[in-house]
Amino acid sequence: MSDLQILQMPILTSERTMEIILDALGALVPYELAVILRLEEGGRLRVHRARGPLYTSKLRDYAIPLDKRPDLAEILEKGEVRLLSEHGDDPEHQDTYADVMQLPADHSCLVAPLHVEGRTIGMLTLDHRTCDMFSPQVVEITRALARIVALALAQSLATETLLSEREALVFERNTLLSELTPGLENLIGRSPAWLSVLEAVRIVASTDTPVLIQGETGTGKELAARAVHALSPRMNRPFVALNCSAIVDTLAESELFGHERGAFTGAAARRLGRFELANNGTLFLDEIGDLPLTIQPKLLRALQEGSFERVGGEKTIQADVRIVCASNVNLAEAVQKGKFREDLFYRLNVFPIHLPPLRERGDDILLLAEYFLRKLAEKYQQSPYQLTPEAVQYLTEYHWPGNVRELQNVLEGAAILARQGVITVEHLQRRFPVQRRQDKSAPTPSTEISTLEEATRQHIERALRLCQGRIYGPEGAAQLLGLKPSTLQSKIKKLGIAKPGRA
């Protein structure tokens, strides 16, 4: 088997491994209920995994105190597989799971202690409603298979312990990073996806490697870029940001590299470009995918050689600049479509960081909500805001197309309305009806859907109508959509949207 084939093999979880073993056991031993119990501190057997037609959810996490079951304690002590019955050879035995399920008085029951290297770690029980189902041959088979089950249980317990310890360490690391490391205090979150982002930021910050941050609009790309700068050796040097979607094509070169006096009509004086302003610091190019193709070769040269000329100038200027860029479009696809230079993409994509959308960050939604509400309480000099249970449910069920920025804007609008300090669903829904995440099991009313471009156009047009054509300010469409005004203007231009007149 090749290394590639090994890498492509599925990784089994401990839960799936236990299920496979119990299924394989069922092919050899005719059981209707197979239960693996782990031995806990304090002398308790607790259900770890169960399988079979008689399985009931009542068995989940079911515990058996051994001080109340001397018959099972004796079996564990002696370490022998045993056939049990309520009558005959075992008059003191009672049904193992009598508290949660009823079996016929003469049913078959087989119990096998589980040992690893002389240490008792649990018990395997097999039950069948029919009498005398387990022959001496089945007992011998179970005795042999119990060793394999014991190894699987030991591995499963070890895996759970490692995962628990890892989660504790990750949480502690995240807490330390967020509380003690300048630059990460605004990157709020504890979800595994977000912890990976924090780790990537921390690792790459100490280098001069170009960083490409990709993610949907409003996921916090500029915050991540600022964190990279704040944790770098350049932290006390300039951080200069440029939104590539907000610059006019004809002035893009001047914005980046500056111009000399008289270089073009309106150039009344020499102007420094962003590269010069960011010398010895960090240049953040937001929405790099919107950078005009005509300027991309000069950017590539500046990145490779650290030099450039101002528009209308002949002198070569040297600049030591660390590049961090961001995009909400897939640049690899843009390269395939001829909308972005391949050589520039490879130069920028040395260390990519993907920011997950808010809908994939689980409980981070509520952590962020708590953070924003605390900031809003300080801003408006109010006592801490509270969310009703219904409001919490809405926040967690909304799909957040505008991600963290939209969450922040929605909460700020709700806080203004919540004069008593309690935010309700009505406060959250005032500006935009909250849409619950679509239930995948629900039938789709129509198979006809709009293109993404058309859907975006309709969404923006609706927001403009609601805001009476206003883009900027607290009542503007940009805040409503969770976008930067410059980004919204760029999208309006690209989609050819006519702004409605203001009333």
Side-chain angles (χ1 to χ4, degrees), residues 53-82:
L54 295 181
Y55 172 76
T56 170
S57 59
K58 295 179 181 179
L59 285 170
R60 189 178 298 121
D61 211 37
Y62 177 69
I64 304 173
L66 289 177
D67 57 355
K68 297 181 180 179
R69 292 299 304 272
D71 53 336
L72 298 181
E74 181 185 357
I75 292 172
L76 289 176
E77 183 180 354
K78 292 185 176 180
E80 287 296 324
V81 178
R82 184 182 299 182

PDB file of all heavy atoms in Angstrom, residues 53-82:
ATOM      1  N   PRO A  53     -30.785  -5.112  18.776  1.00  0.00           N
ATOM      2  CA  PRO A  53     -32.216  -4.804  18.631  1.00  0.00           C
ATOM      3  C   PRO A  53     -32.890  -4.370  19.930  1.00  0.00           C
ATOM      4  O   PRO A  53     -33.891  -3.655  19.889  1.00  0.00           O
ATOM      5  CB  PRO A  53     -32.811  -6.128  18.130  1.00  0.00           C
ATOM      6  CG  PRO A  53     -31.665  -6.890  17.563  1.00  0.00           C
ATOM      7  CD  PRO A  53     -30.469  -6.488  18.336  1.00  0.00           C
ATOM      8  N   LEU A  54     -32.368  -4.810  21.074  1.00  0.00           N
ATOM      9  CA  LEU A  54     -32.983  -4.462  22.359  1.00  0.00           C
ATOM     10  C   LEU A  54     -32.458  -3.150  22.928  1.00  0.00           C
ATOM     11  O   LEU A  54     -32.871  -2.739  24.017  1.00  0.00           O
ATOM     12  CB  LEU A  54     -32.742  -5.585  23.387  1.00  0.00           C
ATOM     13  CG  LEU A  54     -33.390  -6.937  23.081  1.00  0.00           C
ATOM     14  CD1 LEU A  54     -33.083  -7.936  24.190  1.00  0.00           C
ATOM     15  CD2 LEU A  54     -34.905  -6.794  22.909  1.00  0.00           C
ATOM     16  N   TYR A  55     -31.567  -2.501  22.195  1.00  0.00           N
ATOM     17  CA  TYR A  55     -30.985  -1.260  22.715  1.00  0.00           C
ATOM     18  C   TYR A  55     -32.067  -0.201  22.947  1.00  0.00           C
ATOM     19  O   TYR A  55     -32.969  -0.015  22.134  1.00  0.00           O
ATOM     20  CB  TYR A  55     -29.943  -0.699  21.758  1.00  0.00           C
ATOM     21  CG  TYR A  55     -29.456   0.683  22.173  1.00  0.00           C
ATOM     22  CD1 TYR A  55     -28.564   0.831  23.219  1.00  0.00           C
ATOM     23  CD2 TYR A  55     -29.933   1.823  21.526  1.00  0.00           C
ATOM     24  CE1 TYR A  55     -28.134   2.091  23.626  1.00  0.00           C
ATOM     25  CE2 TYR A  55     -29.512   3.092  21.918  1.00  0.00           C
ATOM     26  CZ  TYR A  55     -28.619   3.215  22.972  1.00  0.00           C
ATOM     27  OH  TYR A  55     -28.207   4.458  23.375  1.00  0.00           O
ATOM     28  N   THR A  56     -31.976   0.494  24.066  1.00  0.00           N
ATOM     29  CA  THR A  56     -32.862   1.600  24.386  1.00  0.00           C
ATOM     30  C   THR A  56     -32.024   2.790  24.841  1.00  0.00           C
ATOM     31  O   THR A  56     -30.944   2.614  25.430  1.00  0.00           O
ATOM     32  CB  THR A  56     -33.857   1.215  25.495  1.00  0.00           C
ATOM     33  OG1 THR A  56     -34.547   2.382  25.933  1.00  0.00           O
ATOM     34  CG2 THR A  56     -33.159   0.577  26.680  1.00  0.00           C
ATOM     35  N   SER A  57     -32.510   3.983  24.568  1.00  0.00           N
ATOM     36  CA  SER A  57     -31.775   5.186  24.953  1.00  0.00           C
ATOM     37  C   SER A  57     -31.612   5.297  26.477  1.00  0.00           C
ATOM     38  O   SER A  57     -30.765   6.047  26.956  1.00  0.00           O
ATOM     39  CB  SER A  57     -32.480   6.439  24.413  1.00  0.00           C
ATOM     40  OG  SER A  57     -33.807   6.519  24.921  1.00  0.00           O
ATOM     41  N   LYS A  58     -32.424   4.548  27.212  1.00  0.00           N
ATOM     42  CA  LYS A  58     -32.294   4.564  28.664  1.00  0.00           C
ATOM     43  C   LYS A  58     -30.957   4.000  29.129  1.00  0.00           C
ATOM     44  O   LYS A  58     -30.518   4.244  30.257  1.00  0.00           O
ATOM     45  CB  LYS A  58     -33.436   3.786  29.305  1.00  0.00           C
ATOM     46  CG  LYS A  58     -34.819   4.403  29.089  1.00  0.00           C
ATOM     47  CD  LYS A  58     -35.902   3.562  29.731  1.00  0.00           C
ATOM     48  CE  LYS A  58     -37.287   4.156  29.508  1.00  0.00           C
ATOM     49  NZ  LYS A  58     -38.349   3.320  30.112  1.00  0.00           N
ATOM     50  N   LEU A  59     -30.324   3.216  28.251  1.00  0.00           N
ATOM     51  CA  LEU A  59     -29.032   2.642  28.607  1.00  0.00           C
ATOM     52  C   LEU A  59     -27.902   3.655  28.502  1.00  0.00           C
ATOM     53  O   LEU A  59     -26.824   3.441  29.064  1.00  0.00           O
ATOM     54  CB  LEU A  59     -28.718   1.454  27.684  1.00  0.00           C
ATOM     55  CG  LEU A  59     -29.481   0.158  27.960  1.00  0.00           C
ATOM     56  CD1 LEU A  59     -29.250  -0.834  26.837  1.00  0.00           C
ATOM     57  CD2 LEU A  59     -29.034  -0.443  29.292  1.00  0.00           C
ATOM     58  N   ARG A  60     -28.144   4.766  27.795  1.00  0.00           N
ATOM     59  CA  ARG A  60     -27.083   5.742  27.587  1.00  0.00           C
ATOM     60  C   ARG A  60     -26.629   6.311  28.921  1.00  0.00           C
ATOM     61  O   ARG A  60     -27.404   6.859  29.687  1.00  0.00           O
ATOM     62  CB  ARG A  60     -27.581   6.852  26.662  1.00  0.00           C
ATOM     63  CG  ARG A  60     -26.473   7.814  26.217  1.00  0.00           C
ATOM     64  CD  ARG A  60     -27.004   8.871  25.265  1.00  0.00           C
ATOM     65  NE  ARG A  60     -27.533   8.278  24.057  1.00  0.00           N
ATOM     66  CZ  ARG A  60     -28.782   8.430  23.643  1.00  0.00           C
ATOM     67  NH1 ARG A  60     -29.629   9.156  24.361  1.00  0.00           N
ATOM     68  NH2 ARG A  60     -29.203   7.866  22.523  1.00  0.00           N
ATOM     69  N   ASP A  61     -25.350   6.118  29.213  1.00  0.00           N
ATOM     70  CA  ASP A  61     -24.726   6.635  30.443  1.00  0.00           C
ATOM     71  C   ASP A  61     -25.278   5.965  31.710  1.00  0.00           C
ATOM     72  O   ASP A  61     -25.117   6.486  32.811  1.00  0.00           O
ATOM     73  CB  ASP A  61     -24.916   8.158  30.539  1.00  0.00           C
ATOM     74  CG  ASP A  61     -23.751   8.819  31.269  1.00  0.00           C
ATOM     75  OD1 ASP A  61     -22.606   8.376  31.088  1.00  0.00           O
ATOM     76  OD2 ASP A  61     -23.995   9.779  32.020  1.00  0.00           O
ATOM     77  N   TYR A  62     -25.931   4.813  31.564  1.00  0.00           N
ATOM     78  CA  TYR A  62     -26.476   4.084  32.722  1.00  0.00           C
ATOM     79  C   TYR A  62     -25.331   3.565  33.593  1.00  0.00           C
ATOM     80  O   TYR A  62     -24.335   3.021  33.095  1.00  0.00           O
ATOM     81  CB  TYR A  62     -27.339   2.928  32.228  1.00  0.00           C
ATOM     82  CG  TYR A  62     -27.902   2.057  33.327  1.00  0.00           C
ATOM     83  CD1 TYR A  62     -28.880   2.521  34.196  1.00  0.00           C
ATOM     84  CD2 TYR A  62     -27.457   0.742  33.482  1.00  0.00           C
ATOM     85  CE1 TYR A  62     -29.397   1.716  35.198  1.00  0.00           C
ATOM     86  CE2 TYR A  62     -27.972  -0.074  34.469  1.00  0.00           C
ATOM     87  CZ  TYR A  62     -28.945   0.416  35.330  1.00  0.00           C
ATOM     88  OH  TYR A  62     -29.456  -0.393  36.310  1.00  0.00           O
ATOM     89  N   ALA A  63     -25.448   3.740  34.902  1.00  0.00           N
ATOM     90  CA  ALA A  63     -24.386   3.348  35.826  1.00  0.00           C
ATOM     91  C   ALA A  63     -24.877   2.293  36.807  1.00  0.00           C
ATOM     92  O   ALA A  63     -26.049   2.293  37.220  1.00  0.00           O
ATOM     93  CB  ALA A  63     -23.874   4.570  36.593  1.00  0.00           C
ATOM     94  N   ILE A  64     -23.967   1.366  37.193  1.00  0.00           N
ATOM     95  CA  ILE A  64     -24.279   0.287  38.130  1.00  0.00           C
ATOM     96  C   ILE A  64     -23.278   0.347  39.283  1.00  0.00           C
ATOM     97  O   ILE A  64     -22.092   0.032  39.102  1.00  0.00           O
ATOM     98  CB  ILE A  64     -24.186  -1.091  37.452  1.00  0.00           C
ATOM     99  CG1 ILE A  64     -25.092  -1.149  36.214  1.00  0.00           C
ATOM    100  CG2 ILE A  64     -24.533  -2.200  38.441  1.00  0.00           C
ATOM    101  CD1 ILE A  64     -24.926  -2.423  35.410  1.00  0.00           C
ATOM    102  N   PRO A  65     -23.694   0.769  40.486  1.00  0.00           N
ATOM    103  CA  PRO A  65     -22.787   0.755  41.644  1.00  0.00           C
ATOM    104  C   PRO A  65     -22.483  -0.692  42.048  1.00  0.00           C
ATOM    105  O   PRO A  65     -23.404  -1.480  42.316  1.00  0.00           O
ATOM    106  CB  PRO A  65     -23.569   1.489  42.733  1.00  0.00           C
ATOM    107  CG  PRO A  65     -24.699   2.191  42.020  1.00  0.00           C
ATOM    108  CD  PRO A  65     -25.005   1.339  40.826  1.00  0.00           C
ATOM    109  N   LEU A  66     -21.221  -1.053  42.107  1.00  0.00           N
ATOM    110  CA  LEU A  66     -20.854  -2.439  42.410  1.00  0.00           C
ATOM    111  C   LEU A  66     -21.140  -2.812  43.857  1.00  0.00           C
ATOM    112  O   LEU A  66     -21.293  -3.998  44.170  1.00  0.00           O
ATOM    113  CB  LEU A  66     -19.371  -2.654  42.091  1.00  0.00           C
ATOM    114  CG  LEU A  66     -19.030  -2.670  40.595  1.00  0.00           C
ATOM    115  CD1 LEU A  66     -17.531  -2.812  40.399  1.00  0.00           C
ATOM    116  CD2 LEU A  66     -19.763  -3.808  39.878  1.00  0.00           C
ATOM    117  N   ASP A  67     -21.232  -1.823  44.755  1.00  0.00           N
ATOM    118  CA  ASP A  67     -21.539  -2.167  46.137  1.00  0.00           C
ATOM    119  C   ASP A  67     -22.977  -2.661  46.283  1.00  0.00           C
ATOM    120  O   ASP A  67     -23.329  -3.288  47.294  1.00  0.00           O
ATOM    121  CB  ASP A  67     -21.281  -0.979  47.062  1.00  0.00           C
ATOM    122  CG  ASP A  67     -22.082   0.258  46.661  1.00  0.00           C
ATOM    123  OD1 ASP A  67     -22.762   0.223  45.613  1.00  0.00           O
ATOM    124  OD2 ASP A  67     -22.016   1.257  47.396  1.00  0.00           O
ATOM    125  N   LYS A  68     -23.807  -2.381  45.262  1.00  0.00           N
ATOM    126  CA  LYS A  68     -25.169  -2.887  45.269  1.00  0.00           C
ATOM    127  C   LYS A  68     -25.332  -4.117  44.380  1.00  0.00           C
ATOM    128  O   LYS A  68     -26.424  -4.670  44.295  1.00  0.00           O
ATOM    129  CB  LYS A  68     -26.131  -1.794  44.806  1.00  0.00           C
ATOM    130  CG  LYS A  68     -26.169  -0.578  45.730  1.00  0.00           C
ATOM    131  CD  LYS A  68     -27.157   0.458  45.241  1.00  0.00           C
ATOM    132  CE  LYS A  68     -27.192   1.668  46.172  1.00  0.00           C
ATOM    133  NZ  LYS A  68     -28.150   2.708  45.700  1.00  0.00           N
ATOM    134  N   ARG A  69     -24.257  -4.506  43.706  1.00  0.00           N
ATOM    135  CA  ARG A  69     -24.297  -5.689  42.837  1.00  0.00           C
ATOM    136  C   ARG A  69     -23.106  -6.582  43.143  1.00  0.00           C
ATOM    137  O   ARG A  69     -22.148  -6.674  42.387  1.00  0.00           O
ATOM    138  CB  ARG A  69     -24.271  -5.257  41.373  1.00  0.00           C
ATOM    139  CG  ARG A  69     -25.526  -4.526  40.910  1.00  0.00           C
ATOM    140  CD  ARG A  69     -26.774  -5.401  41.041  1.00  0.00           C
ATOM    141  NE  ARG A  69     -26.649  -6.648  40.323  1.00  0.00           N
ATOM    142  CZ  ARG A  69     -26.986  -6.794  39.044  1.00  0.00           C
ATOM    143  NH1 ARG A  69     -27.501  -5.781  38.376  1.00  0.00           N
ATOM    144  NH2 ARG A  69     -26.838  -7.957  38.456  1.00  0.00           N
ATOM    145  N   PRO A  70     -23.159  -7.280  44.276  1.00  0.00           N
ATOM    146  CA  PRO A  70     -22.026  -8.155  44.635  1.00  0.00           C
ATOM    147  C   PRO A  70     -21.791  -9.260  43.625  1.00  0.00           C
ATOM    148  O   PRO A  70     -20.661  -9.747  43.495  1.00  0.00           O
ATOM    149  CB  PRO A  70     -22.447  -8.716  46.001  1.00  0.00           C
ATOM    150  CG  PRO A  70     -23.942  -8.544  46.045  1.00  0.00           C
ATOM    151  CD  PRO A  70     -24.230  -7.313  45.273  1.00  0.00           C
ATOM    152  N   ASP A  71     -22.833  -9.675  42.884  1.00  0.00           N
ATOM    153  CA  ASP A  71     -22.654 -10.730  41.889  1.00  0.00           C
ATOM    154  C   ASP A  71     -21.730 -10.269  40.765  1.00  0.00           C
ATOM    155  O   ASP A  71     -20.832 -11.010  40.332  1.00  0.00           O
ATOM    156  CB  ASP A  71     -24.010 -11.169  41.317  1.00  0.00           C
ATOM    157  CG  ASP A  71     -24.834  -9.995  40.796  1.00  0.00           C
ATOM    158  OD1 ASP A  71     -24.606  -8.848  41.248  1.00  0.00           O
ATOM    159  OD2 ASP A  71     -25.708 -10.225  39.941  1.00  0.00           O
ATOM    160  N   LEU A  72     -21.920  -9.011  40.296  1.00  0.00           N
ATOM    161  CA  LEU A  72     -21.051  -8.491  39.242  1.00  0.00           C
ATOM    162  C   LEU A  72     -19.653  -8.192  39.780  1.00  0.00           C
ATOM    163  O   LEU A  72     -18.652  -8.401  39.079  1.00  0.00           O
ATOM    164  CB  LEU A  72     -21.658  -7.227  38.639  1.00  0.00           C
ATOM    165  CG  LEU A  72     -23.026  -7.384  37.958  1.00  0.00           C
ATOM    166  CD1 LEU A  72     -23.489  -6.043  37.395  1.00  0.00           C
ATOM    167  CD2 LEU A  72     -22.957  -8.431  36.845  1.00  0.00           C
ATOM    168  N   ALA A  73     -19.575  -7.704  41.028  1.00  0.00           N
ATOM    169  CA  ALA A  73     -18.270  -7.445  41.634  1.00  0.00           C
ATOM    170  C   ALA A  73     -17.453  -8.727  41.746  1.00  0.00           C
ATOM    171  O   ALA A  73     -16.235  -8.735  41.514  1.00  0.00           O
ATOM    172  CB  ALA A  73     -18.448  -6.804  43.014  1.00  0.00           C
ATOM    173  N   GLU A  74     -18.124  -9.840  42.069  1.00  0.00           N
ATOM    174  CA  GLU A  74     -17.431 -11.124  42.187  1.00  0.00           C
ATOM    175  C   GLU A  74     -16.902 -11.582  40.827  1.00  0.00           C
ATOM    176  O   GLU A  74     -15.784 -12.102  40.722  1.00  0.00           O
ATOM    177  CB  GLU A  74     -18.383 -12.176  42.753  1.00  0.00           C
ATOM    178  CG  GLU A  74     -17.736 -13.548  42.927  1.00  0.00           C
ATOM    179  CD  GLU A  74     -18.732 -14.596  43.387  1.00  0.00           C
ATOM    180  OE1 GLU A  74     -19.914 -14.236  43.614  1.00  0.00           O
ATOM    181  OE2 GLU A  74     -18.325 -15.763  43.505  1.00  0.00           O
ATOM    182  N   ILE A  75     -17.696 -11.376  39.761  1.00  0.00           N
ATOM    183  CA  ILE A  75     -17.268 -11.773  38.421  1.00  0.00           C
ATOM    184  C   ILE A  75     -16.025 -10.989  38.008  1.00  0.00           C
ATOM    185  O   ILE A  75     -15.068 -11.544  37.446  1.00  0.00           O
ATOM    186  CB  ILE A  75     -18.410 -11.557  37.404  1.00  0.00           C
ATOM    187  CG1 ILE A  75     -19.547 -12.533  37.695  1.00  0.00           C
ATOM    188  CG2 ILE A  75     -17.914 -11.734  35.974  1.00  0.00           C
ATOM    189  CD1 ILE A  75     -20.795 -12.283  36.872  1.00  0.00           C
ATOM    190  N   LEU A  76     -16.024  -9.667  38.298  1.00  0.00           N
ATOM    191  CA  LEU A  76     -14.855  -8.854  37.959  1.00  0.00           C
ATOM    192  C   LEU A  76     -13.631  -9.299  38.741  1.00  0.00           C
ATOM    193  O   LEU A  76     -12.513  -9.333  38.208  1.00  0.00           O
ATOM    194  CB  LEU A  76     -15.153  -7.374  38.246  1.00  0.00           C
ATOM    195  CG  LEU A  76     -16.135  -6.672  37.314  1.00  0.00           C
ATOM    196  CD1 LEU A  76     -16.393  -5.256  37.809  1.00  0.00           C
ATOM    197  CD2 LEU A  76     -15.614  -6.635  35.884  1.00  0.00           C
ATOM    198  N   GLU A  77     -13.828  -9.651  39.992  1.00  0.00           N
ATOM    199  CA  GLU A  77     -12.708 -10.066  40.835  1.00  0.00           C
ATOM    200  C   GLU A  77     -12.106 -11.378  40.367  1.00  0.00           C
ATOM    201  O   GLU A  77     -10.883 -11.525  40.308  1.00  0.00           O
ATOM    202  CB  GLU A  77     -13.169 -10.182  42.289  1.00  0.00           C
ATOM    203  CG  GLU A  77     -12.048 -10.535  43.252  1.00  0.00           C
ATOM    204  CD  GLU A  77     -12.522 -10.635  44.687  1.00  0.00           C
ATOM    205  OE1 GLU A  77     -13.711 -10.318  44.941  1.00  0.00           O
ATOM    206  OE2 GLU A  77     -11.719 -11.018  45.553  1.00  0.00           O
ATOM    207  N   LYS A  78     -12.974 -12.331  40.000  1.00  0.00           N
ATOM    208  CA  LYS A  78     -12.477 -13.649  39.570  1.00  0.00           C
ATOM    209  C   LYS A  78     -11.984 -13.628  38.130  1.00  0.00           C
ATOM    210  O   LYS A  78     -11.146 -14.451  37.742  1.00  0.00           O
ATOM    211  CB  LYS A  78     -13.580 -14.692  39.727  1.00  0.00           C
ATOM    212  CG  LYS A  78     -13.928 -14.966  41.186  1.00  0.00           C
ATOM    213  CD  LYS A  78     -14.953 -16.092  41.297  1.00  0.00           C
ATOM    214  CE  LYS A  78     -15.215 -16.432  42.763  1.00  0.00           C
ATOM    215  NZ  LYS A  78     -16.204 -17.530  42.908  1.00  0.00           N
ATOM    216  N   GLY A  79     -12.511 -12.715  37.329  1.00  0.00           N
ATOM    217  CA  GLY A  79     -12.010 -12.546  35.975  1.00  0.00           C
ATOM    218  C   GLY A  79     -12.387 -13.644  35.007  1.00  0.00           C
ATOM    219  O   GLY A  79     -11.662 -13.890  34.036  1.00  0.00           O
ATOM    220  N   GLU A  80     -13.510 -14.307  35.226  1.00  0.00           N
ATOM    221  CA  GLU A  80     -13.930 -15.407  34.368  1.00  0.00           C
ATOM    222  C   GLU A  80     -15.236 -15.079  33.650  1.00  0.00           C
ATOM    223  O   GLU A  80     -16.136 -14.443  34.235  1.00  0.00           O
ATOM    224  CB  GLU A  80     -14.106 -16.690  35.183  1.00  0.00           C
ATOM    225  CG  GLU A  80     -12.797 -17.331  35.628  1.00  0.00           C
ATOM    226  CD  GLU A  80     -11.952 -17.803  34.461  1.00  0.00           C
ATOM    227  OE1 GLU A  80     -12.542 -18.274  33.466  1.00  0.00           O
ATOM    228  OE2 GLU A  80     -10.718 -17.688  34.533  1.00  0.00           O
ATOM    229  N   VAL A  81     -15.343 -15.520  32.390  1.00  0.00           N
ATOM    230  CA  VAL A  81     -16.597 -15.390  31.645  1.00  0.00           C
ATOM    231  C   VAL A  81     -17.635 -16.291  32.299  1.00  0.00           C
ATOM    232  O   VAL A  81     -17.343 -17.439  32.660  1.00  0.00           O
ATOM    233  CB  VAL A  81     -16.403 -15.784  30.168  1.00  0.00           C
ATOM    234  CG1 VAL A  81     -17.720 -15.684  29.413  1.00  0.00           C
ATOM    235  CG2 VAL A  81     -15.347 -14.910  29.519  1.00  0.00           C
ATOM    236  N   ARG A  82     -18.867 -15.780  32.452  1.00  0.00           N
ATOM    237  CA  ARG A  82     -19.872 -16.571  33.154  1.00  0.00           C
ATOM    238  C   ARG A  82     -21.241 -16.417  32.509  1.00  0.00           C
ATOM    239  O   ARG A  82     -21.635 -15.323  32.102  1.00  0.00           O
ATOM    240  CB  ARG A  82     -19.957 -16.133  34.617  1.00  0.00           C
ATOM    241  CG  ARG A  82     -20.931 -16.980  35.447  1.00  0.00           C
ATOM    242  CD  ARG A  82     -21.025 -16.499  36.879  1.00  0.00           C
ATOM    243  NE  ARG A  82     -19.742 -16.579  37.575  1.00  0.00           N
ATOM    244  CZ  ARG A  82     -19.581 -16.252  38.851  1.00  0.00           C
ATOM    245  NH1 ARG A  82     -20.624 -15.805  39.557  1.00  0.00           N
ATOM    246  NH2 ARG A  82     -18.411 -16.355  39.416  1.00  0.00           N
TER     247      ARG A  82
END
